[in-house]
Amino acid sequence: MTPCPATSPSPPRERPQPPRYPRPPHARRIVLAVAVLAAGALAATTARGQEAATPPDGVDTALAYCTNLADEASDARFARKAQTLKVLEEEVEARLNALEEKRTEYQNWLERREEFLQRAQESLVSIYSGMRPDAASAQLAVMDEFTAAAIVAQLTPRNASSVLNEMETEKAARLATIMATLGRGKDGRGA
């Protein structure tokens, strides 16, 4: 009799195996070498631990030497930091001195400007503005240049140009230079 195909036993299924990569021929040697090195390191660590547990003679001397050396190293670090701070402090002091010099310079400039503006009193300006340009220029030409420049700066532009036109060219140029440099306000415009 022939067995029925539905009832016939099926062959056992095989499990799929993961792919196997071929091992290099020296893989076992490498694993063995790593194991030997690990065992040696473990033994050395254990031996060092035992040596530390039982200190040999003279350890107190070595410990004292290390402690003294640590203090000297700390002192050296402190000395380097103190030296760095001293250098930085000197730089700051130099910058402060330079700043103080600039402040003094600006203070002197401001005082000269104030003096320049005070020289030209309103009454004196009104006198020169009422004079003929040739007479005013003759008097201003023999006057101190700063005072003359202050008076001309206070005149109306029309009177100032007439007076400067009647003066010698060099004298008028010097007065105009003085007015341009000292007559500027804080915003860069004339006073």
Side-chain angles (χ1 to χ4, degrees):
M1 208 175 163
T2 60
C4 177
T7 59
S8 66
S10 62
R13 289 187 183 169
E14 293 182 17
R15 286 183 161 174
Q17 295 286 331
R20 296 189 74 177
Y21 298 105
R23 287 187 182 162
H26 58 281
R28 286 186 181 183
R29 290 184 199 154
I30 293 174
V31 170
L32 182 61
V34 169
V36 168
L37 287 174
L42 182 63
T45 304
T46 306
R48 283 190 202 133
Q50 289 174 354
E51 288 174 7
T54 58
D57 293 333
V59 169
D60 292 332
T61 307
L63 184 60
Y65 174 77
C66 290
T67 304
N68 290 339
L69 188 61
D71 289 340
E72 289 177 19
S74 176
D75 291 344
R77 278 193 304 273
F78 179 76
R80 279 194 309 269
K81 288 181 181 180
Q83 182 65 28
T84 303
L85 284 175
K86 184 177 180 181
V87 168
L88 291 174
E89 190 175 87
E90 290 172 356
E91 288 177 10
V92 167
E93 189 67 31
R95 288 182 181 177
L96 285 174
N97 289 339
L99 186 63
E100 183 62 28
E101 288 176 12
K102 285 290 185 186
R103 189 196 66 77
T104 304
E105 180 182 333
Y106 290 136
Q107 184 68 30
N108 290 339
W109 179 84
L110 186 61
E111 288 172 2
R112 284 186 301 158
R113 183 176 180 277
E114 291 298 321
E115 180 184 338
F116 172 76
L117 293 175
Q118 287 176 0
R119 285 187 180 182
Q121 298 290 328
E122 285 187 30
S123 61
L124 189 59
V125 171
S126 64
I127 291 171
Y128 278 99
S129 63
M131 293 175 71
R132 290 189 332 248
D134 60 336
S137 68
Q139 288 186 9
L140 291 173
V142 294
M143 193 181 288
D144 175 46
E145 288 183 351
F146 285 102
T147 306
I151 292 170
V152 172
Q154 296 291 326
L155 294 175
T156 63
R158 184 175 186 150
N159 286 344
S161 65
S162 298
V163 168
L164 290 175
N165 190 34
E166 293 293 327
M167 258 184 217
E168 290 180 23
T169 308
E170 292 176 10
K171 180 77 170 184
R174 283 195 304 268
L175 293 180
T177 302
I178 292 171
M179 289 187 315
T181 56
L182 292 179
R184 289 190 193 116
K186 290 182 182 175
D187 59 355
R189 296 186 302 216

